[in-house]
Amino acid sequence: MPQSEKRRTGLTANAVKHARPRETAYKLSDRDGLYLLVKPSGVRYWRMNYRFNGQQRTLSFGRWPEILLSDAREMLLEARRQLAKGLDPFEQAKLDKIAQSIAATNTFEAVAKEWLEKIEKEGLAAITLKKARWLLEQTYPALGKRPISAITAQELLLVLKKVEASKRYDTANRIRSTCSQVFRYAIATARAERDICSDLRGALVTARTNHRAAITTPTEAGGLLRALEDYDGNALTRIALRLLPHVFVRPGELRWAEWRDFDIEKAVWTIPDYKMKMRRPHAVPLSKQALAIIAEIEHDASYSSFLFPSLRALDRPMSDNTINAALRRLGFSKDQMTGHGFRAMAATLLNEMGTWNPDAIERQLAHADGNSIRRAYARGQYWDERVRMMQHWSDYLDQLRAGATILRPKFGHSGS
């Protein structure tokens, strides 16, 4: 074969495979600067010699057989393209390795756990953190080791569809929502360019909303209140059960109530933002009845900072299941009443009175107003009305507990 033809043709896969080691390393040239370096140990490396800015340089493409002849030629072609653009392939290879290293540490699982640490430091409720971890853990087998910037909407959809296939519709939607928060965090920390979860809106079955069980009629409410008075379990649990209807906060907010949050003289309980679901501070006017129930607690902050400490550790609040377990013990099934149901009971009966501005009721429930401008305007409103409303509500509960017949005239909404 003529020498010029040999240079054009280069090596063959068979020649590479049967290259035998010698006492010293030697080269088998291919074409366009590519060659195979054969070490005395028999290990074979693909290399390329080139000149850049007047300097001789060598670029390594990897080892045979991990990199085959056809692979090495493709890598050679890419290097020559870079040279044609005035780029140094050696420096580009270093940058690629750095990028790969960064991508390896910025996997979806790594970023998700970093986000979980962040929201934990922000004081998110333990039960909320636990749910977020559980939701994200369902994505780790398929997506955990993937660079978060490389994950596509279709990949995530496959994970969500598997959950949906087991008819866990709400879980699938919650996973999508939680992943969206992780992606938004990745964008803010320069690990991703966009939230792929937004592409999946409408792609999942929407779960039917199941409202929490609650007693919402005056007669049933009276029976419930009498049952709470007869609770014969732990004394602090009985106090918590009797206080909750008067303040109708979320059960988690009652659990984490601390003495320092209460101003007994001013009759107000101010819940800090980090204990609230919506991360905004909330004030609860305390009726005479609520203050009297709180006064039954025999310990103070020197014993435990919590009004309702755990039976096992004074530096922790009571269990998140305590209220519901007590209701079950009293004979109320989970389909009849829950700790959260006291909020629905208050919202329903207060609105049925027709006496109170619905916005005042919503403010006392600490519901978020979707309109940010309106929310800012309303922040200082309704306080006086809420103070009157909370006292009236406690008086009303006393009448229901006593079994009195309650007349509920429609007086119309009062002004704010």
Side-chain angles (χ1 to χ4, degrees), residues 10-22 24-40 42-49 58-73 76:
L11 292 172
T12 64
N14 195 49
V16 173
K17 180 178 179 181
H18 292 96
R20 296 288 179 252
R22 301 174 185 172
T24 59
Y26 68 96
K27 302 175 183 177
L28 288 177
S29 296
D30 184 46
R31 63 192 189 207
D32 300 325
L34 178 67
Y35 63 89
L36 185 72
L37 179 66
V38 184
K39 295 279 190 176
V43 178
R44 283 153 273 190
Y45 295 95
W46 294 107
R47 300 280 173 83
M48 168 192 177
N49 289 335
T58 299
L59 184 64
S60 177
F61 295 133
R63 189 170 67 176
W64 183 91
E66 287 87 351
I67 304 297
L68 299 176
L69 175 60
S70 58
D71 299 325
R73 286 175 174 169
L76 169 77

Side-chain angles (χ1 to χ4, degrees), residues 40-222:
S41 62
V43 178
R44 283 153 273 190
Y45 295 95
W46 294 107
R47 300 280 173 83
M48 168 192 177
N49 289 335
Y50 66 98
R51 295 187 70 82
F52 188 81
N53 289 338
Q55 292 184 339
Q56 182 70 27
R57 311 211 69 170
T58 299
L59 184 64
S60 177
F61 295 133
R63 189 170 67 176
W64 183 91
E66 287 87 351
I67 304 297
L68 299 176
L69 175 60
S70 58
D71 299 325
R73 286 175 174 169
E74 285 292 328
M75 297 166 81
L76 169 77
L77 182 59
E78 178 57 31
R80 291 175 66 84
R81 286 174 180 154
Q82 291 173 355
L83 282 169
K85 295 177 182 177
L87 302 174
D88 184 351
F90 182 79
E91 293 300 325
Q92 289 299 119
K94 285 170 59 176
L95 292 174
D96 289 343
K97 285 183 179 180
I98 292 172
Q100 290 172 5
S101 176
I102 293 173
T105 59
N106 290 333
T107 62
F108 179 79
E109 183 173 353
V111 176
K113 288 182 176 179
E114 188 178 315
W115 172 74
L116 287 167
E117 289 177 3
K118 181 187 84 76
I119 62 174
E120 183 175 15
K121 291 176 182 176
E122 293 173 346
L124 207 64
I127 186 65
T128 305
L129 278 168
K130 184 177 180 180
K131 287 180 181 177
R133 287 194 184 96
W134 176 74
L135 291 168
L136 288 170
E137 283 170 359
Q138 297 183 66
T139 69
Y140 293 161
L143 304 177
K145 304 305 179 186
R146 295 271 289 131
I148 192 166
S149 61
I151 296 174
T152 66
Q154 288 70 31
E155 287 180 89
L156 178 57
L157 183 60
L158 287 175
V159 174
L160 299 176
K161 284 296 184 181
K162 286 182 180 179
V163 176
E164 190 180 75
S166 60
K167 296 186 178 180
R168 293 181 295 154
Y169 305 130
D170 184 61
T171 298
N173 280 279
R174 285 178 180 271
I175 291 174
R176 188 198 71 83
S177 178
T178 306
C179 286
S180 179
Q181 295 182 67
V182 173
F183 272 96
R184 291 200 298 273
Y185 175 72
I187 294 169
T189 54
R191 265 84 65 84
E193 294 185 359
R194 61 185 301 273
D195 177 11
I196 63 167
C197 302
S198 61
D199 296 341
L200 301 180
R201 290 196 182 107
L204 300 174
V205 174
T206 302
R208 181 178 298 175
T209 301
N210 292 318
H211 296 287
R212 291 182 174 92
I215 286 173
T216 56
T217 66
T219 300
E220 290 179 318

Side-chain angles (χ1 to χ4, degrees), residues 246-247 267 284-293 387 390-395:
H246 291 273
V247 292
V284 181
L286 298 172
S287 65
K288 295 175 183 178
Q289 291 89 333
L291 289 169
I293 293 172
V387 171
M390 294 300 278
Q391 184 57 56
H392 180 88
W393 173 245
S394 286
D395 294 341

